Amino acid sequence: MPAASIDVRGVSKIYNPGSQQPVKALDTVSLSIADNEFFTLLGPSGCGKTTLLRLIAGFEQVSGGEILLFGEEIAHLQPSQRSVNTVFQHYALFPHMSVAENVGFGLERLKKPKDEVVSTVKRMLSLVKMDHLADRRPSQLSGGQQQRVALARALAPSPKVLLLDEPLSALDLKLRQTMREELKQLQRETGITFVFVTHDQDEALAMSDRIAVMSEGHIQQIGSPTEIYEHPVNQFVADFIGDSNFLDGEIIAIEDDIVTCKIGSESVFEAENSGNHAVGDQVTLFLRPEKISLTHSTDESTDNHRRGKVSNIVYLGNEAAYTVDMGDGISLMAQARPKEDGNLPFAIDDDIAVGYSNRALRVLAK
Amino acid sequence: MSKWLPKSAAARRWLGLTPAYVMIGIFMLVPISIMAVYSFLEPNPYGGVLPEPSVAAYVKLFLEYDLEDNLVFNPGYINIIFRSFQLSIMATVICLVMGFPVAYYITLQPENKRNIYIYLITIPFWTNLLIRTFAWIIILGRGGVIETPLLNLGIIDDSLKMMYTDGAIAIGLTYSYLPLMVLPIYASLEKLDFRLLEAASDLYSSRFQIMTKVVIPLCKPGIVAGCILVFIPCIGAFIAPNLLGGGKKLMLGSLVQFQFASARNWPFGSALSMLLLSAVVVALIFYARSARKKEYIQGTA
Amino acid sequence: MTERDLKSSNMAKAKALPVGHYRGLGVWNFFFMVFLYAPIAVLIFYSFNANRMVINWTGFGVEWYIKAFNNEDIQDAVWNSLIVAFVATGVATTIATIGALILARGGNFKGKTASLGLMMLPLMVPEIVTAVAVLIFFATIGLNWGLGNVIIAHITFCIPFAFMPIRARLEGMDTTMEQAARDLYASEWETFRYITVPMLMPGIVAGAMLSFVISLDDFIITLMVGGAGSTTLPVYIYSMIRRGLTPEINAVSTLLLLFSVAIVTAYWFVSKKSNTKTVH
Ligand SMILES: Nc1ncnc2c1ncn2[C@@H]1O[C@H](COP(=O)(O)OP(=O)(O)OP(=O)(O)O)[C@@H](O)[C@H]1O
Ligand SMILES: [Mg+2]
C-alpha cells in the first residue's frame, strides 16, 4: 500500500464544549487517504464534512484523536505551516487584490523570488484558463471564473494536499459538469491528493477514486464509487446514493449463497447472500430500480419473474419511472425507456411482468 | 510587531482596550461622577464648590428663601423643567408626524432614488447645528423672510413677534433633529416585507387598516428608536432655546449652561445635569424594553 | 394584482394605486425637503447681501466673504478648529480601530458588553452634560492646557463616531478571508497587514470622516471647556451672532457648511463603494 498522505485516527470534534449546547460534529472518525488520490467526503448537510476539512487545514483543533500528514502529527502546526491548501466554499478571494495578486499571495508569503512568483502565477492562470483576466478584481468575475481563480490560488504554492469544500455548489448545472471534468483532469495532471467535499452524489461518483459516505458525524462507508453504489453496507448509504427499493422481511432459509426471505404476509424473495446472516434475522432487501426489467410478457432470461400492476408513472424524458404494485402490500420502483415513437411502453393499471436477476437483490443488515 | 505584543489573548485584549477605557473612563465617567458629588456640595460664590455637604441644590429646584428667610415654594425652575419636557415632547411628536410619511415614501422608491433621498436627509444632520438654528433667526426674526413680504403686502401691519416664543423653540428643535426621526423609521420600514401588505389587502383590509394593522405595528421599533433619538437631544438642547428663545424662554440645557457660565452655582448646575441624565436613562430603559419586546416577537415568529 | 383590485380600479376609473401606496405622499415628501433645505438656502442667499444687516436685503455682493477671509480672528478660529479636528480624529480613530478589532474579532470575553457600552457612552449622554462634567473635571484637577483641553474632550466624544462604521465593517467581513490567508502561509501579522487592514480601510476612512465632521461642528462642549485663546470656528460664529447679525456670519457659515457637506459626500461615496465591494 502506498504511503498515506492523510491519516485521520479516531478524530472527534465537539463545538462549544462545556457550554449549554455542545455540538458533536465528528465522532471518532478514522480514514486514510492515499497519496495522489481523489478522495471525496459525501454526506447530507450538517454531517461534519466541512468540520473534517477544517481540522485537516488547521482552522479548528481536534477534541480527540489525531491527524497525520505524511506520517507526521500536525496538531501543533498553524494553518500557515501545513503544506495543505484549501479551496473555500465561497472561494474567499481577497476582494482588494487583482486575480494575479490573489494567486501570487501564497508564493509571496513563502518568500519565493519575484520572478518565480510571476512565472508560477502565469502558469497557474493558464492552467485554469484565466490568463486573460489576470488584472481583474474578483468582483468583476463570474462565479465560474472566481472558482478557477480560487483553484489556481490554492494550487500555486504546490501543496501536497488540496482541500476543496463544495467548490462547485455555487455554479449552474452545465458549468458544474464542465468543471467536474476539468477538476478531475487537473488532479490527474498535478498528482496532488484532492480531498473533495460535496453533498452531490453524482459529483462524487463521477470524480472520485474513493468516497467516504458520512452521516451525523460518523463514517458510514468508505469505498470506490462502484463499491459504494453496488454494495452499500447499510440502508443509509443505499438510500443516499441513487434510487433504491427496500423490502423489510425475515430470513426463512439460507442455501449456499442464496438467502430466502419472507416479505409482507406471504411473499417470498430470494436474494444474494452478502454476509453472515442466520435464519430468523430481520433484514432489509435492496434492489436498484435499473436492475429490474419490465416487460409485457414474462422475460425468461431473468432469474426471477413476477407479475404486478402499474400504479404510478413519472415521465422523466429519457425514461419513465414506474411504480408497480406487486400485491401483498409490496410495491417496486422500476424504469423503462420510452418506445422509439416516444410513447411510453406501459400505462396505468397494465398488468406487466417484473424480472430481475438473483444477484441484483441484496441483503442489508439491519 | 507581533513580537513585542503580549502572548496571551486576554492580555492583548486588555492592552488594546486600555486607550478607550482611559479616554472615556477618565474624561467621561469620572467627570460625571465628580459632577454627581458636586451636586451635593455648597456653592462657592466665586465659582466652584465649598467642601461642605448639602442638599441645597436639590431643594432649590422647588423652594427658595423669601425676604424673611422663610422657605417658600418657587415654581420658577419647575416651570422651566416642565417647559423642557413639554417642548421636547412637542418637537418629538411633530418630527414623527412629519417624518413617518417621508420615511414611508422613501421606502416605496426604487433603490437609487432611495439612496439619494437618504443622502438628502443626512446632509443637514451632519452640518453645523448652530448655523442651521441661526438660519431660523433670519426666517422668523423681526423683518425676516416671513414678516417682510407680509408687511409689504399689507397683510399685517405690525411684527408677528415670532422670535423668543415657545413656538420658535419648538420649530428650532424639530428642525434640528428631524433626520434622527426619519432614519431609524426608514431602517425598519426598509426591512418590511411588502408582500405582507398585499396579504392584508387580499384579506379585505382598507388602505387605512393596512397602515394601522400591519405597517405601523411592524415598524414600531423604528418609531420608538426615532422618538428616543429626537427626545434625548431635545431635552438637553442649548442652542435652540438660547438663540430662538432669546435666553428668556429657558430650557433645562440652557439653564445648566447658565449656572456655569453666569450664575456660578456649580452645585445647582450639577443637580440640574443629574436630573437631565436621569431623564435620559429613563428614556433609554424604555427603549431597551421595547427593543427586547421586538426580539421576543421576532423570536417566536 | 388580485381580482378585487382590478374591480376597484375599474370602478375608480383613475388608475388604482398599488397596494401600500398612498395619495399625497410625494407632495408631503416634497414639502418636507423644502422645510429641510429652505433655511439653508436662505442662509446662503443672505450671505450675498450687500447690506450691513443680514435681514435688510439691499443688493448682491460678495464683500462679506472678502471681509470674512481677511478677519484675523476668523483665521485663528479656523486654525484652532482644524488642529482640534485633525488631532481628535487621528487619536479617536486609532483608539476606535483597535477597540473595534478586539470587540468584533477577539471572541467572547467577560466584560465585552460593558466595553461596548463604554465605547458608545459619549453618544448617549446629552452634550450639555458632557460639557459641564468635563468643565468641572478640568477645573477640579487644575488642568489648563488651553486647546489641549478641547482636544481631549473632542477625542472622547469622537470615539463612538469613529467606532461605529469600523465595527459595522468588521461585522460584515467574515473571517474566511483571514483563514484563506493563513492557509496560504501568511503569518498572523502578515494576515493583519495584507488582509484585515486593507479590507477594513473603508470603515476606518468612514469613521475618520465622521469624527472629523463631528469635531469640526461641535459647539457646546468647546464653548464650555475651551478658555480664551482656544476659540474654534463655531464658538466664534456664536459670539458673532451675539454681537449682531451681519452677513459676515452667513458668509462664514456658508463656507463651514460647504466644507462639511463635501466631507459627508466623500464619506457617502466611500461607504457606497465599500458596500458594493464586499459583494462577491
Ligand atoms: N463553529 C461552530 N460552532 C458550533 N457548531 C458548529 C460550528 N460549525 C459547525 N457546527 C455544527 O457542526 C455540525 C457539522 O457542521 P459542518 O459544517 O461540518 O457540516 P457540513 O457537513 O459541512 O454541512 P454542509 O453540507 O451544510 O456544509 C453541524 O451540526 C453544525 O451545526
Ligand atoms: Mg460545509
Side-chain angles (χ1 to χ4, degrees):
Chain A
M1 193 180 153
S5 64
I6 296 174
D7 239 326
V8 176
R9 295 187 180 162
V11 163
S12 298
K13 175 67 192 177
I14 299 166
Y15 287 110
N16 315 324
S19 77
Q20 303 269 329
Q21 295 153 311
V23 180
K24 193 153 198 175
L26 289 178
D27 191 1
T28 50
V29 166
S30 295
L31 53 84
S32 178
I33 302 172
D35 204 1
N36 301 347
E37 193 173 11
F38 196 121
F39 192 90
T40 297
L41 299 170
L42 175 66
S45 192
C47 68
K49 308 179 294 285
T50 299
T51 302
L52 184 52
L53 221 54
R54 292 169 61 81
L55 288 172
I56 298 172
F59 303 131
E60 304 279 356
Q61 294 299 320
V62 295
S63 312
E66 56 178 7
I67 299 176
L68 279 66
L69 194 63
F70 293 98
E72 193 194 346
E73 229 279 304
I74 54 170
H76 60 284
L77 295 179
Q78 293 282 322
S80 54
Q81 296 167 317
R82 303 182 182 195
S83 58
V84 166
N85 287 142
T86 307
V87 176
F88 287 82
Q89 196 157 3
H90 298 287
Y91 316 139
L93 297 177
F94 304 129
H96 56 295
M97 296 181 191
S98 70
V99 165
E101 285 168 334
N102 262 284
V103 176
F105 187 88
L107 297 167
E108 269 166 21
R109 299 290 81 73
L110 289 173
K111 308 254 178 328
K112 295 275 191 263
K114 264 267 170 329
D115 46 341
E116 190 189 327
V117 172
V118 172
S119 67
T120 311
V121 168
K122 249 203 171 113
R123 199 156 42 79
M124 285 303 143
L125 284 178
S126 68
L127 190 66
V128 296
K129 306 185 188 77
M130 285 291 295
D131 22 7
H132 58 301
L133 298 176
D135 297 324
R136 291 253 187 113
R137 288 287 167 104
S139 58
Q140 300 165 318
L141 299 178
S142 73
Q145 291 167 336
Q146 292 183 23
Q147 215 282 312
R148 287 159 200 260
V149 177
L151 205 58
R153 185 178 72 175
L155 285 172
S158 2
K160 294 182 187 152
V161 176
L162 193 66
L163 308 174
L164 304 99
D165 193 354
E166 308 203 19
L168 306 182
S169 63
L171 307 179
D172 63 55
L173 186 65
K174 269 273 173 291
L175 193 53
R176 202 149 64 204
Q177 284 166 347
T178 326
M179 287 304 297
R180 239 183 237 176
E181 285 155 29
E182 286 187 17
L183 265 182
K184 181 69 194 165
Q185 198 186 345
L186 207 64
Q187 193 263 338
R188 244 183 262 122
E189 281 170 12
T190 56
I192 295 173
T193 308
F194 273 36
V195 183
F196 184 89
V197 162
T198 182
H199 57 240
D200 180 334
Q201 44 149 327
D202 293 338
E203 228 165 77
L205 293 174
M207 303 165 77
S208 320
D209 294 326
R210 281 194 307 150
I211 299 173
V213 181
M214 297 178 66
S215 153
E216 293 177 9
H218 292 270
I219 292 201
Q220 300 294 330
Q221 185 174 4
I222 301 179
S224 68
T226 43
E227 274 168 353
I228 300 267
Y229 189 81
E230 294 293 339
H231 301 280
V233 293
N234 57 30
Q235 189 167 349
F236 174 84
V237 177
D239 201 18
F240 189 73
I241 302 197
D243 297 319
S244 315
N245 292 295
F246 294 110
L247 304 169
D248 293 327
E250 186 189 333
I251 297 180
I252 51 174
I254 300 180
E255 188 180 306
D256 296 336
D257 53 353
I258 299 293
V259 179
T260 311
C261 297
K262 192 178 93 177
I263 311 286
S265 55
E266 52 184 10
S267 305
V268 174
F269 283 76
E270 288 181 344
E272 187 186 44
N273 189 357
S274 58
N276 312 322
H277 302 294
V279 173
D281 281 359
Q282 295 292 322
V283 291
T284 300
L285 300 185
F286 142 81
L287 180 59
R288 295 282 186 200
E290 73 272 11
K291 302 274 165 78
I292 298 176
S293 76
L294 300 179
T295 42
H296 284 286
S297 51
T298 306
D299 179 0
E300 297 296 342
S301 67
T302 56
D303 301 339
N304 300 277
H305 10 79
R306 296 162 179 275
R307 292 204 75 84
K309 202 164 147 190
V310 176
S311 63
N312 193 27
I313 304 173
V314 178
Y315 178 63
L316 297 169
N318 60 345
E319 59 178 28
Y322 286 86
T323 310
V324 185
D325 185 358
M326 308 298 295
D328 199 10
I330 301 169
S331 62
L332 291 176
M333 282 194 314
Q335 293 159 354
R337 293 184 162 281
K339 290 187 293 192
E340 251 143 54
D341 59 8
N343 290 324
L344 295 180
F346 316 109
I348 289 226
D349 283 346
D350 277 6
D351 190 41
I352 57 172
V354 177
Y356 56 89
S357 83
N358 273 343
R359 306 203 33 199
L361 192 58
R362 300 220 172 78
V363 182
L364 295 173
K366 274 255 148 160
Chain B
M1 155 137 185
S2 40
K3 285 185 201 83
W4 49 262
L5 281 177
K7 268 274 173 294
S8 105
R12 276 192 202 193
R13 207 145 53 207
W14 296 119
L15 182 72
L17 285 173
T18 301
Y21 288 159
V22 167
M23 285 313 295
I24 297 177
I26 295 187
F27 298 108
M28 189 104 202
L29 274 184
V30 171
I32 290 175
S33 316
I34 294 178
M35 191 178 74
V37 173
Y38 274 23
S39 72
F40 290 102
L41 296 180
E42 281 284 344
N44 181 336
Y46 305 105
V49 288
L50 299 172
E52 289 158 32
S54 156
V55 290
Y58 290 94
V59 171
K60 196 174 153 103
L61 285 173
F62 311 96
L63 305 173
E64 65 173 357
Y65 289 99
D66 65 7
L67 294 173
E68 280 112 50
D69 253 11
N70 296 321
L71 272 176
V72 294
F73 180 66
N74 170 15
Y77 294 122
I78 298 292
N79 279 344
I80 292 175
I81 294 167
F82 185 72
R83 175 168 45 238
S84 298
F85 277 89
Q86 201 181 19
L87 284 174
S88 301
I89 291 171
M90 199 156 108
T92 308
V93 171
I94 300 174
C95 282
L96 179 60
V97 171
M98 286 181 72
F100 182 84
V102 170
Y104 188 80
Y105 176 77
I106 296 174
T107 322
L108 295 178
Q109 303 307 305
E111 169 113 27
N112 54 344
K113 267 193 171 176
R114 264 195 254 174
N115 287 333
I116 293 172
Y117 279 126
I118 290 302
Y119 170 75
L120 285 177
I121 284 173
T122 35
I123 280 290
F125 176 64
W126 293 113
T127 53
N128 196 300
L129 187 56
L130 181 69
I131 295 174
R132 286 191 294 135
T133 312
F134 166 66
W136 280 98
I137 300 181
I138 309 175
I139 295 173
L140 299 176
R142 180 183 281 268
V145 176
I146 293 180
E147 269 186 24
T148 313
L150 295 178
L151 280 169
N152 289 349
L153 290 172
I155 297 173
I156 52 170
D157 42 35
D158 193 12
S159 167
L160 288 170
K161 300 205 173 67
M162 285 179 292
M163 281 290 283
Y164 311 136
T165 60
D166 282 354
I169 299 178
I171 291 179
L173 291 176
T174 305
Y175 183 70
S176 301
Y177 303 115
L178 200 47
L180 290 179
M181 180 65 82
V182 179
L183 296 176
I185 296 182
Y186 169 74
S188 69
L189 278 173
E190 200 198 10
K191 287 190 217 100
L192 185 70
D193 183 354
F194 268 72
R195 284 171 306 185
L196 293 175
L197 312 203
E198 283 164 10
S201 148
D202 191 51
L203 296 166
Y204 316 110
S205 311
S206 67
R207 284 182 185 280
F208 181 73
Q209 285 167 328
I210 292 176
M211 188 47 72
T212 54
K213 303 258 187 241
V214 180
V215 178
I216 290 176
L218 283 175
C219 76
K220 207 164 153 200
I223 294 176
V224 174
C227 289
I228 299 287
L229 284 180
V230 172
F231 180 79
I232 288 180
C234 276
I235 192 82
F238 164 73
I239 295 176
N242 196 278
L243 292 188
L244 302 175
K248 294 190 189 73
K249 301 275 183 183
L250 285 177
M251 281 177 68
L252 259 173
S254 38
L255 189 59
V256 169
Q257 193 264 351
F258 182 73
Q259 298 310 316
F260 286 89
S262 318
R264 298 199 176 279
N265 191 338
W266 285 26
F268 186 50
S270 301
L272 289 167
S273 297
M274 295 315 290
L275 190 75
L276 242 171
L277 259 188
S278 25
V280 170
V281 169
V282 169
L284 286 177
I285 289 174
F286 181 74
Y287 172 66
R289 282 181 55 179
S290 81
R292 204 169 314 136
K293 219 185 277 167
K294 173 188 143 206
E295 264 166 37
Y296 173 74
I297 292 171
Q298 287 178 342
T300 51
Chain C
M1 246 197 213
T2 65
E3 221 174 300
R4 236 156 23 78
D5 282 329
L6 283 174
K7 238 185 272 162
S8 63
S9 73
N10 285 339
M11 281 190 304
K13 289 216 180 80
K15 218 172 110 199
L17 284 169
V19 173
H21 288 242
Y22 293 81
R23 270 180 222 295
L25 277 180
V27 178
W28 188 273
N29 180 62
F30 174 78
F31 282 110
F32 182 91
M33 293 295 166
V34 170
F35 177 72
L36 220 47
Y37 281 91
I40 296 175
V42 165
L43 180 93
I44 297 176
F45 180 76
Y46 276 91
S47 71
F48 296 105
N49 190 355
N51 197 286
R52 257 201 64 78
M53 297 296 294
V54 173
I55 285 175
N56 281 342
W57 179 263
T58 49
F60 178 86
V62 292
E63 51 259 54
W64 292 107
Y65 281 92
I66 295 165
K67 191 149 189 268
F69 270 114
N70 291 327
N71 183 335
E72 277 179 18
D73 290 340
I74 291 183
Q75 288 170 6
D76 289 346
V78 168
W79 265 123
N80 283 343
S81 276
L82 288 179
I83 291 170
V84 171
F86 271 114
V87 177
T89 299
V91 179
T93 309
T94 309
I95 291 175
T97 306
I98 300 170
L101 274 168
I102 290 167
L103 290 174
R105 289 290 156 87
N108 274 321
F109 58 94
K110 219 174 148 205
K112 186 174 169 176
T113 317
S115 302
L116 251 174
L118 193 74
M119 284 277 190
M120 303 304 279
L121 185 71
L123 266 188
M124 290 179 256
V125 179
E127 261 190 287
I128 183 77
V129 176
T130 309
V132 300
V134 175
L135 168 71
I136 291 176
F137 179 69
F138 285 151
T140 306
I141 63 169
L143 189 73
N144 198 355
W145 287 347
L147 212 53
N149 286 17
V150 177
I151 290 174
I152 290 175
H154 278 230
I155 292 171
T156 308
F157 71 72
C158 281
I159 289 175
F161 286 95
F163 177 73
M164 283 187 301
I166 298 173
R167 175 157 176 265
R169 173 103 192 141
L170 267 172
E171 308 234 299
M173 260 163 63
D174 61 21
T175 49
T176 18
M177 293 299 162
E178 278 127 343
Q179 285 172 5
R182 298 286 280 148
D183 188 60
L184 293 163
Y185 315 105
S187 68
E188 225 176 306
W189 166 243
E190 284 171 326
T191 306
F192 182 72
R193 165 82 182 69
Y194 294 112
I195 305 300
T196 314
V197 171
M199 288 187 63
L200 191 53
M201 218 34 172
I204 296 175
V205 172
M209 283 175 171
L210 288 192
S211 324
F212 194 81
V213 175
I214 287 290
S215 166
L216 204 62
D217 281 348
D218 176 76
F219 160 64
I220 179 76
I221 293 175
T222 315
L223 178 74
M224 300 299 281
V225 174
S230 45
T231 303
T232 59
L233 192 55
V235 173
Y236 186 75
I237 292 175
Y238 180 69
S239 69
M240 285 169 91
I241 296 174
R242 305 247 80 173
R243 266 183 271 135
L245 309 180
T246 67
E248 191 177 4
I249 306 173
N250 295 52
V252 180
S253 300
T254 303
L255 294 175
L256 178 56
L257 210 101
L258 291 181
F259 192 54
S260 298
V261 170
I263 297 175
V264 175
T265 308
Y267 160 74
W268 189 262
F269 281 111
V270 169
S271 61
K272 271 290 260 311
K273 209 165 139 215
S274 69
N275 280 347
T276 50
K277 250 196 199 163
T278 46
V279 177
H280 38 244

